[in-house]
Amino acid sequence: MKILTQYSYEKTWQLTTDADLLRMIKEEVGEEGAEGTLSYVKEVCAKGKSITVGSCRFKKGD
């Protein structure tokens, strides 16, 4: 599944790899719980919804 990301100060969505997703989540929530948060983000995006974690937004790509 492809996931697009967007920081709150950006206007465009970017296709993001799993490694970058984990790095971004770690920046927002810290090392503890990053893996679980990534799983939750993927679960929500798979349903076609978008989610915000800190200053990052995530949604399913086409």
Side-chain angles (χ1 to χ4, degrees):
M1 174 177 61
K2 297 178 183 177
I3 296 182
L4 302 172
T5 59
Q6 178 186 49
Y7 281 101
S8 59
Y9 55 84
E10 294 179 327
K11 294 186 181 206
T12 60
W13 290 90
Q14 302 293 322
L15 184 61
T16 310
T17 64
D18 282 351
D20 285 334
L21 286 172
L22 186 57
R23 178 189 52 80
M24 293 168 81
I25 291 171
K26 283 181 181 179
E27 289 174 0
E28 296 297 324
V29 300
E31 293 287 325
E32 297 297 319
E35 295 280 340
T37 304
L38 178 59
S39 297
Y40 181 71
V41 166
K42 287 182 175 182
E43 181 182 320
V44 170
C45 290
K47 296 177 182 177
K49 298 179 180 179
S50 65
I51 184 171
T52 303
V53 177
S55 62
C56 297
R57 293 174 56 200
F58 304 93
K59 73 177 184 178
K60 183 178 179 181
D62 294 331

